[in-house]
Amino acid sequence: MKKIYSAILSLMFALTVSAQWPANYGGVMLQGFYWDSFDDTKWTNLTSKVDELSKYFDLLWVPNSGNCVSANSMGYLPVYWFDHRSSFGSRERYITELIKAYNEKGVKVIEDVVINHKSPVGKDGSWIDFANETKTGAVTGNTYTVSWTGADICANDDGGFVKSEGWDVSGGNDTGEDFSGARDLDHTSANVQKNCITYMTYLLKEIGYSGYRLDMVKGYDPSYTKMYNEATQPEFCVGEYWDGNAQTLKWWVDATGKTSAVFDFSLKFTLNAAVSGGSWSELANKGLAGQPDYSRYSVTFVDNHDTHRDENGERLRNNALAANAFILAVPGTPCIFLKHWKLYPEAIGNMILARKACGITNQSTIVEGTDAHGGYTVKTQGTKGSVLCLMGGATYPNLASEGWRLIENGPQFAFYVSSNITVEGLVKEDEGQAKDINVYVQAEKAPNLYAWDANQTPLNGAWPGTQMTEIVTVDTVDFWKKSFTTSMLNIIFNDGNGKQTEDIAGLTADAYFTYDGAKGYTNITERYTGEQQKEPVPACVTPITNHLYAYFKAGTSIKVPSVWAYNDNKTFGTDPYWPGEEMKVVGTDTDGMTVYLWDGGKYDAENVPTNIIFSNGGWPQTSSFTFVNGGFYTFSGLQGGVDTGVNTIKDNQKGAMNGRTFNLHGQQVAPNYRGVVIKNGKKYLNR
């Protein structure tokens, strides 16, 4: 006999047993997706990787598997709660098969749960017609029902704009931050509470999830997280409370009755400052992970789908592996971002195995934290042994006498375990086969390159190496290139006169860099070898006939974008001074992100930009992208465009000998400047 599920909800409210993030938990989580990773991380692809990933990970965080109607939705604008056909899998059984496969390997799966807001079905243009749903569970046979009215939507949604437009929203005021991308649910409503508990129970009992990653928990009071967790009893729950203040994160955890962990943004922002800016003393602040009473509730991370696609990801890409080494060396539950895993599977995998071999858990003790020698040292005691991580220029005087064993090292870090520990399953670099590894560097002047292999054998002459000579063009960008045949490569760029990078160690595949003798280097490999999925062009990106224009989706890091469009002769737009003129809002994409337009006026085929930069009034800023008229850009670059209604751009041949000369940063230089230059819209090599 089927049970009507809503009839027993009152019993759930009476539960007093408190769900909590597990104590002394030694597991490591993988965020199994990145933004717009539909092809790479669809359910069938993730299922096929179960043997590989289960060797290292104990938790897998996947996107919202509910039907959000759009064919390319990341799941953050939910429409249906019981229909689990999504952009990551067209059949509901694909997600249940994934969960079953990982559970059989001992890996639990948690879903990205979005209950702060909801999207309407949108019939006849309605803003508030949420889907009323009833479904009988295939596992329990219970009947699950949710129904909605305008009384379940916050009365002050979008600052009162929804109500002012005539929509009947009559719930209480929002108990947290407003979200303009969809309708905010009124969690003071008994019906909303019942619906959330029904939905979250369905996820656990019928789909098979072991817990939740709660999206945008700033949007509603934490007491409701407590209510829902106590009613549904997930094994795991972690909230996205985007705030870098550790005290605020502690407040939120406490206010949930400690039924939820929280992503440790405090430590994430510390890593931004330390690893990308060299402010190693910042690591004395280890966020919640460094506080014994709260490390249990700290889910540490280096990047996620949001931070990585904006400027924070750019800041950390140079030394992302070092940042991952740090979170694997301290308490808390580490969450590895999929793009980092795909770039460094052997190194991250080895450090995960070493962490587990030492018995490091979310409540282990940091026994040493020292800011010295231009770096930072952290040592953590596990149940079986210790992990030692040296960051930046840190040294440890007792390495030899105490018998520490090196597991991994690279730019800005070294990761050790105590001498009594045997780590099974390590992938050893010296067992690799020799292969071609190409080094590409963008520099105004050809740098010297010093290189050596895993056996410390020089590969490019004695110090300071040999000046690079070969030039290649990759995606319209000129690089100096040098090829090596080896299983593992270490390099240093230098100018031959004392200015050099630190060791760039452990390269096992092609790598791309920028180099400035004074400012150092940046690792930009991911721009050229990572999975760069093109974003769909939003409907608000439309042609403007015979105009010079471009569109930009700003993300979360840019409030009002400015545009700086230029060629070798001039800048374009109404403001001739950096950062240029502000762009205008034209709409949103399917995930509610704002899209902006720059309209440069009438199109002149003889006078167009060659490059374009977008910024938040100067910083943060994008890279300098090649200008395409009518192009749609994001922080990652050109995603697509529209039919501009104009003729193909013509090369400007005027003044070929007298035009000004610019370097690759868009700065004017002398005509005899040595290196790659731009003149009259074309690149030349001045020797």
Side-chain angles (χ1 to χ4, degrees):
M1 178 178 174
K2 294 181 179 178
K3 299 176 183 177
I4 304 302
Y5 194 77
S6 59
I8 63 171
L9 283 176
S10 58
L11 295 176
M12 297 174 126
F13 280 103
L15 289 173
T16 58
V17 177
S18 178
Q20 288 192 330
W21 193 272
N24 298 307
Y25 182 63
V28 177
M29 183 194 303
L30 174 69
Q31 179 178 0
F33 63 100
Y34 49 89
W35 203 264
D36 290 341
S37 62
F38 307 113
D39 292 332
D40 191 37
T41 60
K42 60 186 178 183
W43 306 140
T44 50
N45 279 355
L46 281 178
T47 302
S48 71
K49 293 176 170 57
V50 63
D51 289 334
E52 168 200 343
L53 297 178
S54 62
K55 294 177 183 177
Y56 304 99
F57 297 103
D58 310 272
L59 272 176
L60 176 65
W61 160 24
V62 300
N64 185 346
S65 58
N67 182 0
C68 297
V69 179
S70 170
N72 53 11
S73 173
M74 289 295 296
Y76 293 105
L77 295 175
V79 178
Y80 292 96
W81 278 4
F82 299 150
D83 179 353
H84 285 258
R85 294 170 298 164
S86 74
S87 301
F88 293 87
S90 59
R91 299 182 182 181
E92 184 170 307
R93 69 177 178 85
Y94 290 156
I95 185 61
T96 58
E97 289 172 353
L98 179 151
I99 293 170
K100 181 176 183 292
Y102 277 90
N103 285 177
E104 288 175 351
K105 294 287 188 176
V107 180
K108 302 297 180 69
V109 183
I110 66 173
E111 191 205 33
D112 211 319
V113 176
V114 186
I115 55 174
N116 170 71
H117 52 270
K118 204 171 188 298
S119 288
V121 176
K123 185 178 181 181
D124 299 325
S126 174
W127 291 12
I128 65 171
D129 63 335
F130 291 168
N132 297 324
E133 301 176 76
T134 296
K135 188 164 186 178
T136 300
V139 177
T140 67
N142 293 334
T143 299
Y144 301 80
T145 298
V146 295
S147 60
W148 307 92
T149 69
D152 298 321
I153 300 172
C154 295
N156 62 341
D157 188 30
D158 287 7
F161 179 71
V162 176
K163 177 170 286 202
S164 72
E165 289 292 297
W167 298 105
D168 183 20
V169 291
S170 55
N173 284 338
D174 206 324
T175 59
E177 290 187 1
D178 190 25
F179 176 71
S180 61
R183 304 288 71 78
D184 283 14
L185 297 179
D186 171 23
H187 288 269
T188 69
S189 161
N191 187 56
V192 170
Q193 295 167 13
K194 175 184 73 68
N195 287 349
C196 287
I197 291 171
T198 301
Y199 167 49
M200 295 164 80
T201 302
Y202 182 86
L203 294 175
L204 300 182
K205 303 297 184 183
E206 306 298 342
I207 302 299
Y209 290 113
S210 296
Y212 327 120
R213 180 270 186 183
L214 296 178
D215 179 66
M216 198 180 170
V217 295
K218 269 191 172 183
Y220 51 97
D221 191 87
S223 62
Y224 300 107
T225 296
K226 178 178 187 293
M227 175 188 293
Y228 304 148
N229 281 344
E230 289 182 342
T232 61
Q233 294 289 295
E235 291 183 63
F236 304 90
C237 179
V238 55
E240 180 216 24
Y241 197 95
W242 196 310
D243 196 298
N245 188 317
Q247 289 300 118
T248 304
L249 299 178
K250 287 166 62 176
W251 163 81
W252 186 83
V253 168
D254 287 340
T256 71
K258 293 185 176 178
T259 64
S260 178
V262 69
F263 281 104
D264 201 339
F265 277 92
S266 177
L267 178 56
K268 189 269 188 295
F269 293 142
T270 294
L271 287 169
N272 281 1
V275 177
S276 64
S279 302
W280 300 108
S281 61
E282 296 283 343
L283 291 175
N285 169 24
K286 302 174 188 65
L288 264 63
Q291 301 188 32
D293 292 339
Y294 284 88
S295 62
R296 173 179 176 180
Y297 306 101
S298 165
V299 176
T300 57
F301 71 107
V302 172
D303 256 331
N304 63 30
H305 58 293
D306 283 323
T307 64
H308 185 267
R309 64 180 180 153
D310 292 330
E311 87 284 357
N312 288 314
E314 288 287 349
R315 291 173 64 190
L316 280 169
R317 283 174 191 163
N318 198 36
N319 290 303
L321 186 54
N324 278 282
F326 192 83
I327 67 170
L328 289 168
V330 299
T333 299
C335 180
I336 306 299
F337 182 49
L338 181 62
K339 281 209 168 186
H340 292 168
W341 171 255
K342 292 175 74 67
L343 284 171
Y344 312 110
E346 294 180 1
I348 292 177
N350 283 347
M351 290 187 288
I352 290 174
L353 294 177
R355 174 188 175 91
K356 291 181 176 182
C358 291
I360 305 297
T361 74
N362 58 358
Q363 291 182 284
S364 292
T365 301
I366 296 175
V367 295
E368 182 178 335
T370 306
D371 172 25
H373 308 293
Y376 194 88
T377 299
V378 65
K379 187 197 306 184
T380 303
Q381 179 64 51
T383 58
K384 301 174 184 177
S386 299
V387 163
L388 173 69
C389 188
L390 307 182
M391 302 291 289
T395 59
Y396 193 75
N398 300 323
L399 275 176
S401 61
E402 294 181 10
W404 291 92
R405 179 187 176 190
L406 178 65
I407 299 297
E408 286 291 339
N409 70 322
Q412 307 286 22
F413 84 99
F415 192 96
Y416 298 84
V417 297
S418 49
S419 58
N420 64 310
I421 296 300
T422 299
V423 185
E424 301 290 344
L426 290 176
V427 178
K428 298 179 181 178
E429 291 173 341
D430 58 6
E431 292 177 352
Q433 298 297 312
K435 57 195 171 191
D436 290 337
I437 301 176
N438 299 305
V439 176
Y440 301 86
V441 59
Q442 184 182 351
E444 296 170 359
K445 178 183 177 182
N448 284 5
L449 179 63
Y450 180 69
W452 68 101
D453 64 15
N455 298 317
Q456 306 300 311
T457 302
L459 300 174
N460 201 35
W463 178 261
T466 304
Q467 189 172 33
M468 302 177 76
T469 57
E470 181 182 0
I471 294 180
V472 296
T473 302
V474 182
D475 292 347
T476 74
V477 177
D478 290 327
F479 287 88
W480 302 100
K481 176 188 175 185
K482 180 66 177 177
S483 300
F484 299 90
T485 301
T486 181
S487 61
M488 190 272 286
L489 179 67
N490 310 290
I491 61 173
I492 295 175
F493 296 113
N494 66 91
D495 66 356
N497 294 307
K499 294 178 180 177
Q500 66 177 72
T501 66
E502 73 270 23
D503 294 1
I504 304 172
L507 301 179
T508 57
D510 291 358
Y512 294 75
F513 304 89
T514 64
Y515 172 65
D516 181 309
K519 297 179 180 178
Y521 79 103
T522 301
N523 188 331
I524 57 172
T525 302
E526 189 175 340
R527 296 182 193 172
Y528 294 91
T529 62
E531 297 78 8
Q532 298 297 327
Q533 304 283 337
K534 295 295 186 182
E535 293 198 17
V537 177
C540 59
V541 173
T542 57
I544 307 176
T545 304
N546 293 321
H547 269 235
L548 185 69
Y549 65 106
Y551 291 91
F552 179 62
K553 187 177 82 168
T556 58
S557 61
I558 291 184
K559 304 304 181 185
V560 180
S562 298
V563 65
W564 183 253
Y566 64 96
N567 62 23
D568 59 342
N569 292 315
K570 62 176 290 186
T571 59
F572 293 77
T574 58
D575 190 341
Y577 301 102
W578 174 261
E581 64 183 291
E582 291 187 354
M583 302 180 74
K584 308 297 183 184
V585 176
V586 292
T588 59
D589 70 356
T590 55
D591 287 318
M593 304 300 288
T594 305
V595 178
Y596 296 83
L597 166 69
W598 171 63
D599 188 340
K602 187 177 179 180
Y603 181 85
D604 176 5
E606 301 292 336
N607 190 22
V608 296
T610 56
N611 294 82
I612 192 167
I613 300 172
F614 306 93
S615 73
N616 186 43
W619 181 260
Q621 69 179 64
T622 67
S623 300
S624 180
F625 302 133
T626 300
F627 177 79
V628 173
N629 199 41
F632 168 58
Y633 295 83
T634 69
F635 239 97
S636 299
L638 181 68
Q639 304 299 311
V642 296
D643 182 2
T644 61
V646 298
N647 295 327
T648 303
I649 297 174
K650 298 178 181 179
D651 288 338
N652 181 4
Q653 299 296 332
K654 298 178 181 179
M657 297 303 295
N658 298 321
R660 292 182 292 169
T661 304
F662 293 79
N663 62 25
L664 293 178
H665 296 289
Q667 301 163 325
Q668 186 174 357
V669 294
N672 61 350
Y673 176 92
R674 298 181 68 179
V676 179
V677 299
I678 299 173
K679 190 172 183 178
N680 297 312
K682 294 185 177 181
K683 291 178 183 174
Y684 301 91
L685 175 62
N686 283 348
R687 296 185 182 274

